[in-house]
Amino acid sequence: MTVTHGRPLTAEITDILVTNCGLDADAAARAPAASLEELGMDSLALLELSAVVADRWQVQIPEQAGQLSIAGVAELVARRADPPGHTENSVLIAAPLPLVWDVTNDVAGWPELFTEYARAEILHRDGDTVRFRLTMHPDENGVAWSWVSERTADPATREVRARRVETGPFEYMHIHWRYAEEPGGTRMTWVQDFAMKPTAPVDNAGMTERINTNSAVQLAVIRDRIEGLARAGAAARGPAATPADEATGADDE
C-alpha cells in the first residue's frame, strides 16, 4: 500500500475526487474496483483531478485516467512521483589496475567472478563493445532471471558504459564502471541510473535499496577473488615482487 504523509494514497486521491470533482463517496466505497468513468467522473472532473495532482505531486495524469479505478490512479501517481533510481558503490582492491581491468571486463568469466550469475553468453562483439546474455541462479521461487546487456569498454580512460537491452521490469538501466589507481590498489566504482516500469513488483526506491545491498556483497566477493589472483601471481614470480609492487602494478605491463 502506498502511503504519503502517513495516509494511504488511495485515501488522498478519493478526498480530491470528493472535494474537487463531485465524487459520491458512498458510491466509491460500494464499488472500489469501478473506473472513474463508471463513478460518473466526466472530462471536467478529470481535468480538475489532473490539476490538483500536478500541483500536489508534480505528476501528469494521462487522458486515459478515466478508465482507471481510484486505486489505479493512486498507483500511477506513486510510480510517477517516485524519482529515478541512482546508486554509487565502490571498493578498493589490493591489486594492480591492469589485473582488475582485465578480470572484471572478461564477461564470459563473470559466473566465476560474481556469485549471482549462472551463465554469461557472448552474443556479439564489435571492437570494445560486447553484447551478452546473463542468466542468474534460480531464486527462492525457482525462477532463473535472464536478460541481454551491452557494454563498451574504453581502455584509454579505464571506464565502461553499459545498458540493459532487454530491460525486463526496468524502463531503463544504465551502468557506468570507473577504475582508478589509489594508494593500496585499484578503486572500482559502479554507478547505476535506472527507472522501474509501472508494472514492476518494486518501485525505484525499493530497487535502489536492493541494488545497494547486493552491490556491497558482490564488490566484496570480486575484491577477495581478484586479490587472491594478485597474491597467486606474486607467488609465481617469486620474492622479488613486493606487496608495494603488486598494489601499484609495477612490472605488470
Side-chain angles (χ1 to χ4, degrees):
M1 177 184 297
T2 302
V3 177
T4 61
H5 307 297
R7 299 187 66 210
L9 189 53
T10 51
E12 294 204 29
I13 297 298
T14 300
D15 287 351
I16 293 170
L17 289 166
V18 171
T19 303
N20 299 83
C21 307
L23 174 69
D24 183 335
D26 292 335
R30 289 193 299 269
S35 69
L36 298 186
E37 290 179 351
E38 292 170 337
L39 292 172
M41 298 292 95
D42 59 18
S43 58
L44 290 177
L46 294 177
L47 282 174
E48 183 63 23
L49 171 64
S50 180
V52 176
V53 167
D55 180 67
R56 187 172 300 183
W57 291 288
Q58 291 73 55
V59 170
Q60 297 297 318
I61 296 293
E63 295 180 1
Q64 299 84 355
Q67 301 170 16
L68 299 175
S69 65
I70 295 175
V73 172
E75 183 65 19
L76 183 149
V77 171
R79 294 288 187 179
R80 296 193 175 185
D82 189 24
H86 174 84
T87 66
E88 181 167 340
N89 294 275
S90 70
V91 67
L92 181 62
I93 304 172
L97 192 154
L99 176 63
V100 177
W101 175 267
D102 289 344
V103 172
T104 57
N105 284 289
D106 176 18
V107 175
W110 279 7
E112 286 72 50
L113 185 63
F114 293 77
T115 61
E116 58 187 342
Y117 301 137
R119 293 193 305 278
E121 177 187 2
I122 305 302
L123 303 178
H124 180 71
R125 290 187 185 273
D126 182 8
D128 291 318
T129 298
V130 59
R131 180 169 291 199
F132 53 97
R133 175 173 292 280
L134 287 175
T135 302
M136 302 184 75
H137 294 288
D139 62 17
E140 62 275 10
N141 298 314
V143 178
W145 297 98
S146 180
W147 67 90
V148 173
S149 290
E150 186 174 88
R151 67 199 317 266
T152 300
D154 186 343
T157 63
R158 299 297 194 185
E159 296 187 4
V160 180
R161 300 283 182 175
R163 66 184 181 92
R164 283 201 182 197
V165 177
E166 293 179 357
T167 58
F170 295 91
E171 291 281 2
Y172 62 88
M173 165 60 86
H174 298 156
I175 309 174
H176 182 197
W177 297 49
R178 300 197 304 263
Y179 301 76
E181 291 181 324
E182 291 187 3
T186 302
R187 181 164 297 280
M188 182 174 68
T189 302
W190 295 342
V191 178
Q192 293 172 267
D193 291 286
F194 60 91
M196 307 306 296
K197 292 178 179 177
T199 54
V202 63
D203 60 12
N204 294 337
M207 182 55 71
T208 296
E209 182 177 357
R210 289 189 185 186
I211 289 175
N212 281 329
T213 299
N214 186 61
S215 292
V217 172
Q218 296 303 318
L219 286 169
V221 169
I222 291 170
R223 177 198 62 210
D224 293 346
R225 291 181 174 177
I226 295 179
E227 288 180 353
L229 292 174
R231 288 192 298 270
R237 286 195 292 271
T242 67
D245 291 334
E246 290 304 308
T248 59
D251 300 323
D252 198 69
E253 294 291 338

